[in-house]
Amino acid sequence: MLELNVSQRWSGWSTAVAFVAGCATAAAALALRVHHRPEPSAMQQVEDTIAMMATTAHIPVAEPPPVLGKDTDPNCLRRKFEAMLRRGQDKVCKAIEECDGGAKFQTDAWVREGGGGGITRVLGGGKVWEKAGVNLSVIYGTMPSETVQAARERQAAYAKDLKPGERINFFACGLSCVMHPRNPHCPTMHFNYRYFETEAGDWWFAGGTDITPVYLDEEDMKHFHGVYKKVCDKHDPAFYPKFKKWADEYFIIKHRGETRGLGGIFYDDLNDRDPWKIFAYSEECLDNVVPAYVPIIEKHKNDTFTEEQKRWQLLRRGRYAEFNLIYDRGTIFGLKTGIGRMESIMMTLPEVARWEYDHHPAPGSEEEKIMKLFKNPRDWV
């Protein structure tokens, strides 16, 4: 048996969670496509580059800046997307503090030397949550035309010709989050919503919200998936089945043959309609994080649990760590190159995780019941 206190090796929860996979989790999950596709898409390669540019250098500041982007027009999409994410960050943090009933988020605002900055909010040692982070990143600057050109695989309709060696202005904005509760009956939750564009005309939205329980409560899963199906159906009836399947395929621990959790929605490279329509969809998805997740936590935060149930939670936290460290391409890149900021990259990991040799749930147990769902994802609504 091996039990590892992750916080002892990768301490820190301060400073920026940069724009990963667009913005996703250089601290929460990088929202890169690790699902069943033969090779990483060109778009992922662009987002990996952006992620590292966002994490290399920043200067902490005492207070959150009023606007992180450089746009002067308050009605432009970039400015409005930042404002929408900041409202979402406030809303989520407020709801989590109220649910926890004690702990408060600490705020670390920072500016990036190359342009932009971020606001990282971290809660630790709470009554309900061992670890929670909600991280905003808004960055801009230039990137090589060759990197942008690689993205023309699916973005050609929006791009102009580029010259070799030319540097292209880009903008990337995202909000990412991960929450690890103490009680084994309370699920972990992750979300990420982001937008990227270049002056060459390339642009796309990406995001999603997913849930990782360690014990099954079918009503909870019907509630969580039902909230997001309702949001999806309002904007496009094709969204939920497509994005639910995408989440099931993305959050797979391939060497285990099981999913990290019980899914949710996940989408990337979304630019097939008017950008303001996708903006509205992203905003409504973010607005529904609290109604989809917090009622589940309120329902279970005072549940009693045994030492064996806590042990099972720590084993599943080990799976969470495996996914992020082995299959999260942005994390791998940051660790191998040493370019990424370790506190930001490791933020998504739980404080404590556990591994046991050749562990198998007891036949007929609640642990085996949910394990079958990790092996074979099902529909909930």
Side-chain angles (χ1 to χ4, degrees):
M1 182 276 288
L2 168 66
E3 184 167 337
L4 169 66
N5 188 318
V6 179
S7 64
Q8 292 174 353
R9 293 197 177 188
W10 298 297
S11 62
W13 257 76
S14 58
T15 35
V17 162
F19 196 91
V20 172
C23 162
T25 50
L30 302 160
L32 299 176
R33 291 174 298 286
V34 209
H35 53 288
H36 302 312
R37 292 186 179 181
E39 294 293 337
S41 73
M43 206 65 66
Q44 290 174 255
Q45 299 172 26
V46 175
E47 292 178 334
D48 286 346
T49 300
I50 297 167
M52 291 305 100
M53 293 174 71
T55 57
T56 50
H58 68 271
I59 305 170
V61 295
E63 298 293 337
V67 177
L68 295 169
K70 64 179 179 179
D71 297 285
T72 57
D73 180 4
N75 295 312
C76 73
L77 190 147
R78 293 182 298 273
R79 182 81 171 266
K80 281 188 170 293
F81 197 79
E82 176 186 339
M84 181 267 285
L85 294 186
R86 292 180 71 153
R87 290 193 302 271
Q89 185 182 44
D90 290 342
K91 178 179 179 180
V92 170
C93 289
K94 182 175 184 293
I96 295 306
E97 287 181 346
E98 290 176 352
C99 183
D100 190 89
K104 298 292 184 182
F105 280 89
Q106 296 181 347
T107 299
D108 182 18
W110 50 278
V111 293
R112 176 178 171 268
E113 287 181 347
I119 302 172
T120 296
R121 291 184 178 172
V122 178
L123 180 152
K127 296 178 181 178
V128 176
W129 278 275
E130 293 176 352
K131 189 176 185 182
V134 189
N135 310 286
L136 174 71
S137 181
V138 183
I139 65 170
Y140 52 87
T142 64
M143 61 194 309
S145 61
E146 289 78 9
T147 304
V148 179
Q149 191 66 45
R152 298 300 171 81
E153 174 185 307
R154 288 195 274 180
Q155 306 295 325
Y158 299 95
K160 68 180 183 182
D161 292 337
L162 301 175
K163 299 177 182 179
E166 181 182 8
R167 295 195 66 83
I168 305 300
N169 289 322
F170 77 90
F171 171 87
C173 180
L175 184 70
S176 59
C177 166
V178 65
M179 308 233 167
H180 291 297
R182 294 186 181 280
N183 194 307
H185 300 291
C186 292
T188 287
M189 183 274 297
H190 156 259
F191 74 76
N192 179 288
Y193 292 95
R194 62 191 188 274
Y195 172 72
F196 170 80
E197 72 172 36
T198 75
E199 67 175 355
D202 307 275
W203 63 271
W204 63 87
F205 293 81
T209 305
D210 63 278
I211 195 161
T212 305
V214 298
Y215 284 99
L216 175 63
D217 183 316
E218 293 213 11
E219 291 304 314
D220 292 347
M221 294 306 100
K222 290 177 181 178
H223 167 77
F224 181 85
H225 282 266
V227 167
Y228 277 100
K229 183 179 187 303
K230 184 176 180 180
V231 172
C232 289
D233 288 351
K234 178 179 176 180
H235 293 267
D236 189 330
F239 276 176
Y240 179 75
K242 179 180 179 180
F243 297 159
K244 191 269 183 186
K245 182 175 184 293
W246 204 338
D248 289 339
E249 294 176 343
Y250 170 58
F251 295 106
I252 283 188
I253 308 169
K254 296 179 182 178
H255 62 277
R256 300 279 188 182
E258 63 192 57
T259 58
R260 188 179 76 178
L262 295 184
I265 59 168
F266 178 84
Y267 60 94
D268 211 342
D269 299 336
L270 193 57
N271 68 349
D272 62 348
R273 61 202 70 197
D274 184 277
W276 289 104
K277 291 184 178 180
I278 307 176
F279 180 109
Y281 170 66
S282 300
E283 181 174 28
E284 192 154 1
C285 284
L286 178 56
D287 282 345
N288 276 275
V289 166
V290 170
Y293 179 58
V294 173
I296 296 174
I297 301 300
E298 290 286 0
K299 176 180 174 181
H300 294 291
K301 68 181 183 181
N302 295 318
D303 287 359
T304 59
F305 57 88
T306 66
E307 184 177 342
E308 283 302 302
Q309 289 172 328
K310 186 65 179 181
R311 172 170 161 255
W312 173 245
Q313 180 195 46
L314 297 183
L315 287 168
R316 293 310 304 175
R317 292 276 171 85
R319 299 292 206 267
Y320 204 97
E322 286 180 30
F323 175 85
N324 287 17
L325 293 173
I326 297 173
Y327 296 109
D328 189 318
R329 291 180 62 247
T331 296
I332 294 169
F333 182 81
L335 294 177
K336 286 186 175 180
T337 63
I339 295 175
R341 185 174 186 275
M342 292 303 101
E343 289 88 339
S344 294
I345 293 174
M346 297 297 177
M347 191 212 73
T348 132
L349 297 177
E351 284 192 349
V352 181
R354 183 181 181 107
W355 288 263
E356 293 183 17
Y357 179 75
D358 199 27
H359 179 273
H360 297 281
S365 66
E366 289 299 309
E367 292 81 6
E368 184 189 53
K369 183 177 180 180
I370 196 168
M371 177 59 77
K372 289 180 179 179
L373 293 173
F374 295 146
K375 297 283 187 179
N376 298 287
R378 55 165 276 194
D379 292 332
W380 298 100
V381 290

